[in-house]
Amino acid sequence: MSDPSSPANLREQALSLLASGEATSRADLVETLRVAPSTVSSVVRRLLEEGAILEEGMGRSTGGRRPRILRLRDAGGVLAVCELGARHARIGLCSPDGRLLATEEVAIEIGAGPVEVFDTVAQAFGRIRAATAPGQALLGIGLALPGPVEYPHGRLIGPARMPGWSGFDAQADLRERFNVPVVVDNDAKTAAIGEYITRGRDTGDMIYVKAGTGIGGCLVSGGRIHRGGRGLSGDVTHVRVADSGERECSCGSRGCLETVAGGAALARQLGERGLPVSTTRDVIAATVNAEPSVVTMVRHAGGLLGVALSGLVNFLNPDAVVIGGALSSLDVYVAAARSMLYERCLPSMTQSLSIEAGIAGPDAALTGLGHLVRAKADVRSS
């Protein structure tokens, strides 16, 4: 049996931690590997001499000197990442260290089924590679899906509003198309990883909610996603909430959060009132234009999100609740969720709780995918 503290194993562990983003400095490696600082310094010095890693920039101070940032050296080649929505796909290209190089959006209809959607995505991958990294090898692919994904197998389990997708092996399909390592995960989980990476390691335990056309969420604890037994955790969208109007949900139940607090639900309700609103973007535009009936409904939706999250906050006692996704750009939505959390949660749970909009922006899921794919592809220096 190999010794985990041997120089060779410490070297591989350090490379893996740097590749995944779990460590970005010597101090991080000391804390995670639980070895002496002198041992980590020796490992880092050897990796620098080999040219496997680079040392650049300064991190944030936690009381002492600001640490130097460590990252893997680019190995050549690129990683392709994609987040699917109901009507659009956000495509990105990453360098081997996970940094986004370029992004674009293409129109899709998720209801058209996986074959048609993946044909469109494959064409977009080819186009963005030709424009951004001509001649560069494709090292791996990451895909974020708006439904429950059985991780790490990459299979969708009972997704709502996605006819033809349930049970589809997205990971196998993409691997067959491109013959490279593939990671398939839920969009809220990948966005949470991107948000956590953007915020830095001192974020603490975080409940992340992606509020867009639908609503998804997850818990990040100790820098890791809590996935549950089959990788299906975080389906907050089907939590039943009071004052939901008992609307029928796509899951077959009634009164789910999805029916009142997501962008699709808001667009439907506003459309029923005769307003020219049919998409989440229309809802956002109408709210920004301060149309009174729209603002009132968006505020109510944000409050219902807060109701659904209050039980989780009382149970999990997180350091932060972060709301991402398209609706997080609406201050009235985030403020209503925050107000309801303060009203419904125990004071001891909210005393030091941060409740705010995400900072990673629309590329949060692509950033998260970049780090997942580089670890799966085991990218190393050339």
Side-chain angles (χ1 to χ4, degrees):
M1 186 173 180
S2 61
D3 179 5
S5 63
S6 69
N9 280 327
L10 286 174
R11 176 186 183 279
E12 288 307 306
Q13 290 177 63
L15 285 171
S16 178
L17 290 167
L18 292 171
S20 67
E22 292 181 56
T24 59
S25 68
R26 288 175 173 81
D28 292 344
L29 291 172
V30 169
E31 179 183 347
T32 306
L33 295 173
R34 298 184 182 278
V35 295
S38 59
T39 302
V40 165
S41 293
S42 177
V43 171
V44 169
R45 183 171 61 253
R46 188 158 56 248
L47 290 172
L48 288 168
E49 291 171 353
E50 294 172 6
I53 65 174
L54 297 173
E55 187 175 41
E56 59 184 26
M58 304 296 288
R60 285 184 290 182
S61 172
T62 57
R65 290 189 305 171
R66 295 172 63 196
R68 295 295 300 274
I69 298 299
L70 304 174
R71 70 171 180 86
L72 297 189
R73 181 185 294 276
D74 289 357
V78 290
L79 308 171
V81 290
C82 172
E83 178 191 12
L84 296 185
R87 295 185 176 179
H88 76 279
R90 193 164 182 84
I91 309 290
L93 211 61
C94 296
S95 63
D97 66 0
R99 290 175 295 126
L100 273 172
L101 302 173
T103 63
E104 70 170 74
E105 285 196 5
V106 295
I108 63 164
E109 282 294 337
I110 200 75
V115 174
E116 181 174 325
V117 169
F118 281 6
D119 285 345
T120 301
V121 168
Q123 293 170 9
F125 278 162
R127 187 168 59 250
I128 197 170
R129 281 178 64 198
T132 306
Q136 290 286 313
L138 182 62
L139 304 177
I141 287 176
L143 177 71
L145 293 171
V149 175
E150 191 175 30
Y151 187 88
H153 307 298
R155 193 175 289 108
L156 272 160
I157 306 297
R161 304 182 308 278
M162 295 176 69
W165 287 85
S166 186
F168 180 71
D169 194 337
Q171 195 161 280
D173 183 284
L174 290 172
R175 193 163 50 233
E176 185 175 331
R177 286 173 183 258
F178 294 96
N179 195 31
V180 295
V182 176
V183 172
V184 177
D185 204 350
N186 168 261
D187 59 349
K189 290 185 173 72
T190 56
I193 294 170
E195 182 72 26
Y196 185 85
I197 289 168
T198 301
R199 287 173 176 267
R201 286 173 54 88
D202 58 351
T203 300
D205 286 3
M206 174 179 74
I207 291 176
Y208 179 86
V209 177
K210 184 174 185 288
T213 300
I215 296 178
C218 73
L219 171 68
V220 182
S221 181
R224 296 181 181 276
I225 297 291
H226 173 75
R227 295 189 176 275
R230 297 179 65 191
L232 304 177
S233 67
D235 210 354
V236 69
T237 190
H238 296 298
V239 172
R240 186 169 180 171
V241 291
D243 301 324
S244 63
E246 292 296 305
R247 289 177 176 268
E248 186 174 349
C249 181
S250 58
C251 72
S253 186
R254 289 182 176 274
C256 294
L257 181 65
E258 175 182 294
T259 66
V260 287
L266 285 166
R268 183 188 64 249
Q269 293 173 58
L270 291 167
E272 291 171 354
R273 296 189 177 190
L275 294 172
V277 173
S278 61
T279 67
T280 302
R281 289 182 178 178
D282 293 339
V283 172
I284 292 171
T287 307
V288 171
N289 287 335
E291 296 188 25
S293 60
V294 178
V295 172
T296 297
M297 191 169 288
V298 169
R299 182 183 294 111
H300 181 64
L304 292 177
L305 174 62
V307 170
L309 293 178
S310 60
L312 296 176
V313 169
N314 280 333
F315 183 70
L316 296 170
N317 185 28
D319 298 293
V321 171
V322 176
I323 301 173
L327 294 180
S328 71
S329 65
L330 301 177
D331 291 342
V332 64
Y333 186 85
V334 176
R338 181 188 297 116
S339 177
M340 190 58 69
L341 281 168
Y342 281 128
E343 179 181 323
R344 293 293 185 100
C345 294
L346 295 170
S348 58
M349 297 296 167
T350 58
Q351 188 173 10
S352 59
L353 178 67
S354 169
I355 308 167
E356 59 186 355
I359 63 172
D363 292 327
L366 299 187
T367 299
L369 283 170
H371 285 262
L372 287 174
V373 178
R374 66 184 297 203
K376 177 71 175 285
D378 196 29
V379 174
R380 294 289 186 264
S381 63
S382 56

